[in-house]
Amino acid sequence: MNLLLPAVISGVAVGMLYGLLAFATVVLFKATGTVNFAQGTMGALSAFVVWRMLNGYGMNTALAVVLGLVFSVLLGVVTYQLAVRFRDGGDAGNTLVRTLALSLLFAALIDRLWSAGQPFQFPQLLTPGGFSLAGIRFSYAAFETLAVAAVLLTGFGLLFRFTNVGLLTRAMADSREVTRLLGVRNRRLAAAVWGVTAALGAVVALLSAHTLFLSTSMMDAYLLYGFTAAIAFGLTSLPGSIIGGLVIGLIGNVVSTYQGSDWANILMFGVLVVVLIIRPQGLLGRTEVRRV
Amino acid sequence: MVAVATAAVTAAALAACGASGGKAASGSEVIKLGQTTHLSGPAGAFGKSFSEGQQAIFKAVNDAGGVNGRTIELTVLDDGLDVSRAVQNVRTLIGQKNVAIVGVSGAGSIEAMVPILNRAEVPLLFPSKSTASFAHKVVPYAFAGIPTYPDQAGAIVGAAFKKSGPGSVFLVQTASDQSKANLARVKEAVAAGGGTLAGEVIVPFGADVAPFALRIAEKRPDYALFTSGPAETTKIVQQLAAENRLPRKGILGLTTLPGETFAQGTPASAHRLLYSLAATNPPTDPSAKECNDALAKYYPDTKPDYVATFGCMDAQMVVAALKAAGDDVTGPGIVKGLESLKDNQVSPLIPPVSFSSRSHVGLTSLPVVIVEDGHFVRTGTVPVPVGS
């Protein structure tokens, strides 16, 4: 059995999920200057809500997923409005620590509501099974994961490039003062970005819950790899986040397949350290120049 | 910080409940037992279910008159699977004059507390996990209920070879302090049984299991032995089944495997191949009636699953130890009483147990389970010799 091709395919599929998280990280950072450490637990919380609607109330799967995504958007917006918005013009480290605290808060909330019996089975939202080609087994789910991620990334990429909202978001990332003087309500826009990025986290959680199983910490490793992708390839580069996710997914899965996960992590984080020493803004990021 | 606060509240609530069944002690005499376990954190579900199984039995015993007329009072402290908190808890429990520490878990915590308890002459009774440091040599105040995982791994390989013939074995582990010992014991058992070791993977907790499933699928072994946690095991088996690459002869497991996660998360094709050790008979076995009745009475919200049944069995062993101590319910008295137990049927859920001054491992054979119609069923017992 040839291991390389299946390892590459599964690596690309999981890499797209890392890429989605990295993309959300970059979008939020570009728009608000914040990295959200609560991204993973917010996604997990949304997946728990979907699971509860499915198991507790016997709701139709598609409806539960849609409601779960709506919940995730509201969660993002409310989180911003209640915990991030106030005194957000000061020290960036303060906001960063707030998101870390939010992550612990959401984790505690999940544990408070649904700790007993974790991890839970989660239904496969994608097509089960697969097909064999030249003796190699391919799963439909991997291709569908790729497709969903590709559609979302392309859609958001186009949104940021060609729509007014996208342009304003990018403008706000460049200079909040300028957008404010132009009459843009920065905080309203920031709330929308928090909502959208929370939904992206929820999509990743929902797509991976069947294979990861539903647990409070289910997104921890994914978020770590997503951050790694975003930072290594530049916190200011949207294409970099996607490429970074794919590279991390590929390295992770191919090296894990042949050499074990320890070597994969040594390689990935070793490369991250080297990149940050040689090119602090990330491989595809741009250096921020400030007029003094 | 939030987790710590939650843990403290949970622990306080459980401790307040105790296990006295709300009844005053006969002649004001109580047997004070302590426990530090993980009620919160990543393995909180296991700790809670296990502890409730124990407390259900203690409450039933108390309501039936106690042990030699004395009621059991259990103080439970949460350590969140954190070694330093577990050690602090143990020091607190010793200070509160508990006569024994029962049913704790977390290999690191157990390793750390064994010397402390030994110095204080407070017996550690039957943690849910046994380690070589007190199972393979006699530590005066430490007693193991079940054999160590390496001993179990060797035993189940030997038993599977006898049942279905020798073959290639792929070992699947999650990183633990016993990984090397597991591998060594499996190699020994495979060689002794005329098989081959097809490979080994160590799966990180919470990881994407695809690369590891691929490696197992490539080898397509006769047997896959899972010493990994139930979730990781289930994910890998699920993936192997989806790719029609399940092991040819058997899916082998240790006492960590049986449970709802595996039964519900894997298809019938995998169920047919399962051959696993279990710490107790399954909760659906008639021998679990006493446990199920106690759970239904004292913890109606707790599902009588494998972990809760394991907790019941553990508590029944503790009760047997207290009975064996007679009127001398002190650390030395419990040790003396336990070392006198020979082939004693302390619980209907397990084979008879024996202790002596030369061996502090109670069970030297374990139930074996298979899956029928989605439920675990006991199919016999397998001897598990204690290693050295």
Side-chain angles (χ1 to χ4, degrees):
Chain A
M1 180 181 170
N2 181 2
L3 284 182
L4 184 61
L5 193 55
V8 166
I9 290 170
S10 68
V12 169
V14 79
M16 285 298 248
L17 296 178
Y18 299 158
L20 271 177
L21 283 175
F23 185 85
T25 301
V26 170
V27 166
L28 193 68
F29 183 77
K30 278 172 77 79
T32 66
T34 302
V35 173
N36 180 13
F37 279 103
Q39 182 91 31
T41 43
M42 288 168 77
L45 179 57
S46 299
F48 268 95
V49 168
V50 172
W51 168 80
R52 182 68 190 144
M53 285 190 278
L54 291 171
N55 281 22
Y57 304 106
M59 198 177 280
N60 169 278
T61 304
L63 180 61
V65 168
V66 170
L67 290 177
L69 291 175
V70 170
F71 168 82
S72 69
V73 172
L74 292 174
L75 181 66
V77 171
V78 170
T79 300
Y80 171 77
Q81 296 288 6
L82 293 182
V84 181
R85 183 169 66 98
F86 299 105
R87 297 178 187 272
D88 59 350
D91 181 13
N94 177 295
T95 313
L96 203 66
V97 173
R98 278 193 232 178
T99 68
L100 198 56
L102 283 167
S103 176
L104 295 173
L105 177 71
F106 290 130
L109 182 65
I110 294 171
D111 282 341
R112 178 68 189 82
L113 294 171
W114 301 295
S115 71
Q118 283 192 31
F120 301 112
Q121 314 280 332
F122 193 84
Q124 172 64 286
L125 301 177
L126 304 171
T127 310
F131 61 94
S132 295
L133 197 65
I136 299 170
R137 185 83 178 165
F138 298 95
S139 75
Y140 296 129
F143 289 102
E144 289 174 0
T145 301
L146 276 173
V148 170
V151 166
L152 284 172
L153 291 171
T154 307
F156 279 109
L158 294 174
L159 180 96
F160 281 109
R161 195 165 180 80
F162 297 114
T163 67
N164 280 341
V165 172
L167 289 173
L168 286 175
T169 307
R170 288 164 58 199
M172 186 171 75
D174 281 342
S175 171
R176 290 179 163 215
E177 196 57 28
V178 170
T179 48
R180 196 178 63 80
L181 289 171
L182 287 171
V184 177
R185 293 183 175 185
N186 282 350
R187 283 182 168 156
R188 190 175 287 186
L189 200 56
V193 173
W194 266 82
V196 168
T197 53
L200 282 174
V203 169
V204 175
L206 290 170
L207 286 176
S208 54
H210 176 70
T211 49
L212 289 180
F213 289 8
L214 201 57
S215 71
T216 309
S217 59
M218 62 178 280
M219 296 294 289
D220 287 1
Y222 274 39
L223 190 67
L224 185 63
Y225 292 133
F227 276 171
T228 304
I231 292 167
F233 283 77
L235 266 172
T236 54
S237 170
L238 287 175
S241 64
I242 303 158
I243 296 168
L246 285 171
V247 169
I248 296 289
L250 274 171
I251 291 177
N253 271 34
V254 173
V255 177
S256 289
T257 300
Y258 287 100
Q259 298 296 331
S261 61
D262 291 346
W263 279 109
N265 284 335
I266 287 170
L267 185 62
M268 279 189 285
F269 296 114
V271 168
L272 176 66
V273 170
V274 172
V275 166
L276 289 178
I277 291 170
I278 296 171
R279 199 175 156 80
Q281 70 273 32
L283 290 172
L284 300 178
R286 63 169 192 221
T287 310
E288 197 171 299
V289 180
R290 288 184 188 278
R291 188 175 295 162
V292 292
Chain B
M1 199 178 292
V2 176
V4 173
T6 310
V9 172
T10 313
L14 273 166
C17 291
S20 61
K23 212 173 176 181
S26 162
S28 78
E29 280 202 74
V30 295
I31 301 170
K32 291 179 68 173
L33 301 178
Q35 180 175 82
T36 173
T37 192
H38 40 91
L39 300 170
S40 62
F46 179 96
K48 184 171 178 287
S49 196
F50 188 90
S51 187
E52 286 179 350
Q54 285 180 310
Q55 292 181 66
I57 291 297
F58 290 150
K59 287 181 178 184
V61 168
N62 286 347
D63 283 353
V67 179
N68 299 329
R70 299 172 178 180
T71 54
I72 297 168
E73 186 181 284
L74 179 68
T75 302
V76 183
L77 300 178
D78 180 24
D79 59 40
L81 211 57
D82 180 279
V83 176
S84 58
R85 281 173 67 192
V87 168
Q88 184 56 45
N89 286 348
V90 159
R91 291 188 196 283
T92 303
L93 292 166
I94 292 170
Q96 291 172 347
K97 307 290 181 199
N98 289 288
V99 295
I101 304 299
V102 301
V104 294
S105 51
S109 306
I110 295 164
E111 291 286 290
M113 71 181 67
V114 162
I116 297 169
L117 290 168
N118 205 45
R119 276 195 300 273
E121 297 189 349
V122 175
L124 171 65
L125 301 182
F126 326 128
S128 65
K129 184 184 281 186
S130 304
T131 62
S133 66
F134 68 98
H136 288 176
K137 65 177 182 185
V138 172
V139 175
Y141 284 86
F143 291 82
I146 60 171
T148 64
Y149 292 151
D151 290 344
Q152 293 183 32
I156 193 68
V157 168
F161 281 9
K162 274 186 191 163
K163 176 176 167 276
S164 307
S168 56
V169 178
F170 201 108
L171 177 61
V172 185
Q173 311 209 58
T174 32
S176 81
D177 58 323
Q178 305 204 35
S179 300
K180 282 184 183 168
N182 283 338
L183 179 61
R185 194 53 58 86
V186 169
K187 276 182 178 170
E188 280 173 25
V190 165
T196 56
L197 186 69
E200 181 215 16
V201 289
I202 295 184
V203 186
F205 284 104
D208 175 22
V209 299
F212 311 102
L214 277 173
R215 283 175 67 182
I216 303 163
E218 184 209 18
K219 297 290 183 187
R220 193 78 198 277
D222 293 314
Y223 301 96
L225 168 59
F226 292 89
T227 67
S228 43
E232 278 64 35
T233 299
T234 304
K235 290 179 210 172
I236 290 174
V237 170
Q238 202 178 61
Q239 190 141 349
L240 291 173
E243 296 177 7
N244 291 325
R245 304 291 293 182
L246 284 168
R248 294 173 203 279
K249 290 184 176 178
I251 293 169
L252 312 180
L254 312 185
T255 50
T256 47
L257 187 143
E260 297 294 303
T261 305
F262 183 90
Q264 292 179 4
T266 54
S269 57
H271 292 174
R272 282 192 289 275
L273 290 166
L274 184 79
Y275 189 67
S276 177
L277 293 174
T280 76
N281 294 342
T284 48
D285 192 86
S287 61
K289 184 179 183 308
E290 186 182 340
C291 176
N292 293 342
D293 288 349
L295 280 167
K297 182 173 179 184
Y298 301 106
Y299 293 95
D301 294 335
T302 297
K303 197 175 172 188
D305 61 5
Y306 173 69
V307 179
T309 310
F310 188 0
C312 285
M313 177 278 277
D314 199 271
Q316 287 165 331
M317 287 181 86
V318 171
V319 170
L322 298 175
K323 281 181 180 167
D327 289 334
D328 185 16
V329 193
T330 60
I334 292 169
V335 169
K336 192 177 170 191
L338 267 174
E339 288 180 345
S340 71
L341 288 181
K342 298 277 178 292
D343 287 325
N344 198 307
Q345 191 68 55
V346 298
S347 163
L349 291 160
I350 48 172
V353 301
S354 297
F355 294 96
S356 71
S357 57
R358 292 191 307 277
S359 173
H360 280 191
V361 182
L363 281 166
T364 49
S365 64
L366 286 171
V368 177
V369 293
I370 57 174
V371 181
E372 281 180 3
D373 299 327
H375 298 288
F376 287 97
V377 177
R378 180 180 175 277
T379 185
T381 57
V382 162
V384 185
V386 177
S388 56

